[in-house]
Amino acid sequence: MPDTVVFMQAYYVVMWLCEQQAVPVSLSEDSAQRLAPLKLSPVFNLKTKHKHLMTLVQLFSSSTGGTQAHSAFAKSCPDEEMLAHWHHALLDYVNQLGQLVWAVSGHFVLGEWLLASGQHVLLQQYVRLLNPWCEWNNCSRNFVLAAALLNNSEKYKAKDLFLKSSKGIFLERFLADRVLTSDDDNDAKALVNYHLKVIQLFELHGARDCAIDVARTALSAADSDDPHI
């Protein structure tokens, strides 16, 4: 696919994020328990008490996105006084925020946030917009989509996506950081630990039949001397 087409597709997704209204959600302690295996925490600092609904970009920039953009800008800015004068700093700050929502990059903060903030239905739409053409973070997107589907009781669709996403643990930073452990010293061991994490998610949602299917897949990938067998 020509670069021009890719960039146009990416711009369209940014426009969609700027226009799509966020869904008001109420996160609970149960949400925290279900996100814990992924080393994620629910986003409780959402400014949802507005007279008018906020778009996804507005809500993202008022919580995790804004915090990360400000942190990245502060690290890249050599002049501390500039941070205090927004009429000088605003353009650079918006540039940092834009990188977080730009699909053609290594960033996956937005994908994490859509899951952690409970925007599960819109996360499904977001992934549908990107999957036909975007190669960046493809497995990570499918993984968080699987987690969202599981939360919406679509366990069999989630299982297929979890298994499909396993190849990304060696390629994508989100999956490596959230799923693997420091002692995953070979591919077979890493795959087993990935499947164990997925099994844990299914057990938290009471989907034991899917957990058993994933366990069978893990056994087929494991070394004979793996302690988890």
Side-chain angles (χ1 to χ4, degrees), residues 193-229:
N193 281 332
Y194 171 84
H195 289 115
L196 288 173
K197 186 77 69 173
V198 172
I199 290 169
Q200 186 180 2
L201 289 172
F202 279 121
E203 290 178 339
L204 284 172
H205 288 79
R208 299 190 182 280
D209 54 339
C210 291
I212 292 171
D213 288 343
V214 175
R216 292 194 181 103
T217 302
L219 286 172
S220 67
D223 291 331
S224 58
D225 59 347
D226 194 305
H228 294 111
I229 297 179

Side-chain angles (χ1 to χ4, degrees), residues 2-3 16 27 54 65 70 84 115 118 121 144 146 148 163 185 200 220:
D3 289 346
W16 178 83
L27 299 173
M54 303 177 72
H70 186 274
L115 177 63
V121 174
V144 295
L163 295 177
D185 50 9
Q200 186 180 2
S220 67

Side-chain angles (χ1 to χ4, degrees), residues 100-137:
L100 298 179
V101 299
W102 185 244
V104 188
S105 72
H107 293 290
F108 195 64
V109 177
L110 178 62
E112 294 182 50
W113 177 83
L114 287 169
L115 177 63
S117 62
Q119 301 292 323
H120 297 148
V121 174
L122 296 179
L123 172 58
Q124 294 179 49
Q125 295 182 36
Y126 176 70
V127 173
R128 287 194 199 101
L129 286 173
L130 291 175
N131 273 0
W133 61 271
C134 185
E135 299 176 0
W136 289 264
N137 297 307

Side-chain angles (χ1 to χ4, degrees), residues 5-63:
V5 176
V6 171
F7 293 147
M8 289 297 293
Q9 295 273 26
Y11 275 118
Y12 176 80
V13 173
V14 172
M15 289 179 58
W16 178 83
L17 291 167
C18 292
E19 296 173 355
Q20 180 64 54
Q21 290 184 339
V23 177
V25 293
S26 179
L27 299 173
S28 62
E29 291 184 4
D30 184 53
S31 301
Q33 183 183 15
R34 292 181 176 182
L35 289 172
L38 304 180
K39 303 176 187 175
L40 293 175
S41 299
V43 182
F44 290 116
N45 62 332
L46 297 175
K47 298 179 180 179
T48 55
K49 296 181 180 179
H50 286 258
K51 188 177 294 185
H52 303 289
L53 291 175
M54 303 177 72
T55 68
L56 283 173
V57 162
Q58 287 175 321
L59 198 59
F60 178 62
S61 62
S62 70
S63 59

